[in-house]
Amino acid sequence: MQQIDTQVGTVSPHRHHLVVCNSSPEKWPSRIEGMSETVTALARGSIRLPGRAMVTMSDFAPLNSNVCGCASQNTKDDKFQLIDVAVFPLGLVAKQLDVAGVNKLLEWLSYDILPTSWTPTHANLPQPEFDHSWLELTQNRHIFVCTHGSRDYLCGLHGGKLLNDLRSLIEQRNLQKHIGAWATSHIGGHKYAANAIVYPRGDWYGTWCDKCNTSAEPERRDDAQAIMDAVVHDVTWWDAWRGATNMSKQDQIAMWTRSADHADNAGHAESDEFSWVPATRQRSAFK
C-alpha cells in the first residue's frame, strides 16, 4: 500500500458549492462575505445548511449564454444586491436573487434529496420556488481555479498561471463549447496552490506549486495537461487529488487508498470504463 499523501483528505466537508457569478477577481477583497447585503445573507445562511455549503465569487458564466442571467455582468450600481448563484454539483443556477430570494434558495437546499440537472423535473422531489435554469452537465465540464490573490499570494500567482494554461489548452483542443475554466475566490488550502475543482465530478486538486520556481514552467504546464486529460476522459488525477465535494475526511482517505491499491501508473489520470467524449457534432444539444 502506498503512503497516503498529506494533501489527501484536506477538503473541508461540504454538500454544495454556491458560486456567485460574474465578479472580477481583481475586485475581490480578502473576505468576500461583506461585498453586499445579499452576499452576506448567502454566506451566513450557507453554514447553517445540512452538510454545510461553500460560497465563492467567480467570473463563471454558463457555456450556453442563453440559459441564465449569469451571461450579463453586474453593473457598477448593482454592487451585488441582485446575484446569480450557480449550485454545484447539482447544476442549478438561481437567477437575480435579492435577500428574500437567497432565503428561498437556502430553504430549498435544506432538503435532504434534491433534483439535479440530470433529473430536474422529478415529480417526487422539491422544486425550486425561484427563477432558475439548469446547466447542461452531461456533455459540459467546469473547472474552477482559486486565483484569490488578495487572500493569499500563492493562490493569485500560481492559480492565475494554471488558469491561463487551462484556458489555452481548451482553446487549442477546440473545446470551448464543452469545457470552461473559471477563476474562483478562496476555497482553502493555500499551501497546495494552485487549487482547482472539477465539476460535475467534484474532484479537488492541489498542484503544490509553492514548491515550484521560475525554472519549473514545464512542470506547471504538465499540471494543466494532467487536469485536462482527467476532465476529457472523465477520470480522477489521483497524484494531485485532495478530496471531493460531499465527502468526509475519512471517506476521502479511503477512496484514495483504494485507488492507490489498484493503480497501474501512479501519478497519471487512470483509465475508467467510461470515457466522456464531447459530442461536437450533436449541434442540436447546444441550441
Side-chain angles (χ1 to χ4, degrees), residues 51-63:
R52 301 176 70 92
M54 176 178 69
V55 176
T56 69
M57 309 295 290
S58 177
D59 58 357
F60 171 74
L63 297 181

Side-chain angles (χ1 to χ4, degrees), residues 228-251:
M228 277 297 297
D229 287 345
V231 170
V232 169
H233 294 291
D234 200 39
V235 296
T236 299
W237 178 30
W238 294 110
D239 195 43
W241 196 70
R242 288 182 54 192
T245 300
N246 208 16
M247 293 183 68
S248 68
K249 178 177 181 178
Q250 292 75 18
D251 287 343

